[in-house]
Amino acid sequence: MMNVLPLVSLIKVWKQERSLGIYWKNRTDQELPEWERDWYLTCDRAGFILVHRAYIRHMKSSKVEIEDTGSYNRGKAYCAVFEDMNGKLRSLKFSSESVEKEFQQWYKKQPYGRENK
């Protein structure tokens, strides 16, 4: 079975870009450290996460979800819950607490440990 997560990620980015009127391909902040950039990008959970800082009105909470992916497969998803620019609650799921914390630090414009690429 083909993994549809990258396609879902692309659709989410497309909707976000149209709501904002700001496009990933037009970014000019590549030379800045990752935590200062307007776009947050990471590959996680067999897909990718791409979010613009202006799309997030404010962060609401963090939570851990237990996922049951089969009879013997259980795992955790670390979620950052936020209100988007349109007032809708959204969540981003991360595979580890450290990646979710990195996202929170990016949103607050605080440096984090990952090296710039």
Side-chain angles (χ1 to χ4, degrees):
M1 184 171 126
M2 184 179 88
N3 192 340
V4 296
L5 288 177
L7 180 60
V8 171
S9 297
L10 283 173
I11 292 168
K12 287 179 180 181
V13 169
W14 181 81
K15 288 179 179 180
Q16 182 184 169
E17 287 178 326
R18 269 102 198 124
S19 291
L20 284 169
I22 300 171
Y23 299 89
W24 164 257
K25 68 179 182 176
N26 297 333
R27 69 197 184 284
T28 58
D29 58 0
Q30 297 93 320
E31 299 301 318
L32 295 174
E34 288 181 359
W35 57 275
E36 289 183 350
R37 296 177 191 169
D38 289 332
W39 289 96
Y40 176 81
L41 173 64
T42 193
C43 293
D44 197 27
R45 299 177 47 87
F48 68 91
I49 295 172
L50 181 61
V51 179
H52 194 279
R53 198 180 306 275
Y55 188 66
I56 301 170
R57 184 178 290 169
H58 64 275
M59 299 301 295
K60 300 292 269 182
S61 64
S62 294
K63 63 182 180 179
V64 178
E65 291 181 0
I66 303 296
E67 296 181 322
D68 193 358
T69 57
S71 58
Y72 297 103
N73 255 347
R74 295 189 89 172
K76 292 181 181 178
Y78 298 84
C79 302
V81 181
F82 65 92
E83 184 178 329
D84 72 11
M85 62 182 277
N86 301 312
K88 185 173 181 178
L89 281 182
R90 303 206 180 263
S91 68
L92 296 173
K93 291 184 178 183
F94 300 93
S95 61
S96 70
E97 185 177 19
S98 63
V99 179
E100 191 267 338
K101 183 179 178 186
E102 176 187 282
F103 173 76
Q104 296 281 353
Q105 288 176 284
W106 165 83
Y107 179 70
K108 296 173 187 173
K109 289 192 173 186
Q110 296 175 344
Y112 49 86
R114 192 165 54 149
E115 304 246 332
N116 289 334
K117 298 190 176 161

